[in-house]
Amino acid sequence: MKAMILAAGRGVRMRPLTDTTPKSLLAVGGKPLIVWQLEKLAQAGFSEVVINHAHLGHMIEAALGDGSRFGILIRYSPEREALETAGGIALALPLLGAGPFLVINADIYSDYDFSALARVDLRGRLAHLVLVDNPPQHPRGDFALETEQVREAGAQMLTFSGMGVYAPRLFGDIPHGAKLPLAPLLRKAMASNQVSGEHYHGNWHDIGTAERLHALDAHLKGSGA
């Protein structure tokens, strides 16, 4: 299975940090966010990773190169302007191949074992999502999980972690270069019982603001991670 890291976001809420540095290259615990993910993907057995980028994308390529120092092959999917999640994935489909693939947001930090997602069998479904408890900044959550089936709503709402496995056909109807978010596609697939999921209870952080970035950095340095 191949993996994709979504790194095209502008990171507006993290300005001025992201005026001169791509969000994915902001450091926590002594290394860029995206490096933590690349190292964990390599440890989990992934050998090929696609990274999309837009804002200051040349800096991402310069920092990561071909991925050889991480023990993986990195291929890049540049976007003139960020195409949002679904649009960016659709543009990268030629690099991702014909089988299901893992997608991770660049602006998260987690101790989730990616090898578990490499073993996911979609069984004809379009997606498998990792959901987490709602963080303070997102108390209403995104989706519900009922017997491993993800629903648009339910008794217990959870937050989408930014980690998921997708079938290429979920994005097959998106025109080349179209700008499109992921949520509407997922909701449509949920309506036809095409999205499975799991509830992860471990360490997970959404690095959406400078305050959260600094808090995670202090935590990792304090724990010796």
Side-chain angles (χ1 to χ4, degrees):
M1 181 184 289
K2 295 183 180 181
M4 180 175 185
I5 300 178
L6 300 173
R10 176 65 176 80
V12 174
R13 291 180 298 167
M14 300 191 75
R15 297 181 67 184
L17 296 176
T18 51
D19 286 340
T20 55
T21 303
K23 189 176 182 181
S24 62
L25 292 184
L26 295 175
V28 291
K31 63 182 81 171
L33 283 166
I34 200 168
V35 169
W36 286 98
Q37 296 189 357
L38 289 169
E39 290 177 347
K40 289 176 180 178
L41 285 168
Q43 291 168 4
F46 286 84
S47 59
E48 295 185 52
V49 178
V50 176
I51 299 174
N52 72 333
H53 61 69
H55 173 63
L56 302 176
H58 65 284
M59 295 180 66
I60 296 175
E61 295 199 23
L64 305 177
D66 63 2
S68 56
R69 67 187 174 99
F70 307 106
I72 55 179
L73 171 65
I74 296 177
R75 302 178 73 182
Y76 296 95
S77 180
E79 302 169 13
R80 291 185 179 180
E81 63 171 337
L83 299 178
E84 299 197 37
T85 303
I89 294 172
L91 188 70
L93 284 179
L95 301 176
L96 291 167
F101 49 84
L102 167 64
V103 177
I104 311 163
N105 290 354
D107 57 353
I108 62 170
Y109 175 90
S110 176
D111 57 10
Y112 186 94
D113 182 0
F114 293 137
S115 64
L117 290 178
R119 297 190 296 268
V120 166
D121 182 358
L122 291 180
R123 292 177 290 180
R125 295 188 178 96
L126 294 173
H128 177 86
L129 307 182
V130 178
L131 306 178
V132 296
D133 291 335
N134 300 330
Q137 70 271 12
H138 192 57
R140 294 186 178 181
D142 298 305
F143 307 118
L145 184 63
E146 299 176 358
T147 318
E148 299 184 356
Q149 196 80 22
V150 182
R151 308 291 187 189
E152 186 172 354
Q156 181 186 12
M157 299 296 289
L158 299 170
T159 290
F160 175 43
S161 69
M163 301 181 286
V165 175
Y166 304 101
R169 60 192 177 96
L170 177 64
F171 309 93
D173 294 332
I174 299 177
H176 182 83
K179 191 174 184 178
L180 191 70
L182 179 60
L185 292 183
L186 290 176
R187 292 190 178 99
K188 182 178 179 181
M190 288 172 197
S192 56
N193 300 319
Q194 292 293 298
V195 182
S196 61
E198 60 187 270
H199 185 180
Y200 180 61
H201 299 275
N203 192 21
W204 177 86
H205 300 268
D206 170 23
I207 317 302
T209 65
E211 290 76 16
R212 280 182 245 155
L213 178 81
H214 296 322
L216 178 59
D217 181 49
H219 171 73
L220 291 175
K221 288 178 178 177
S223 65

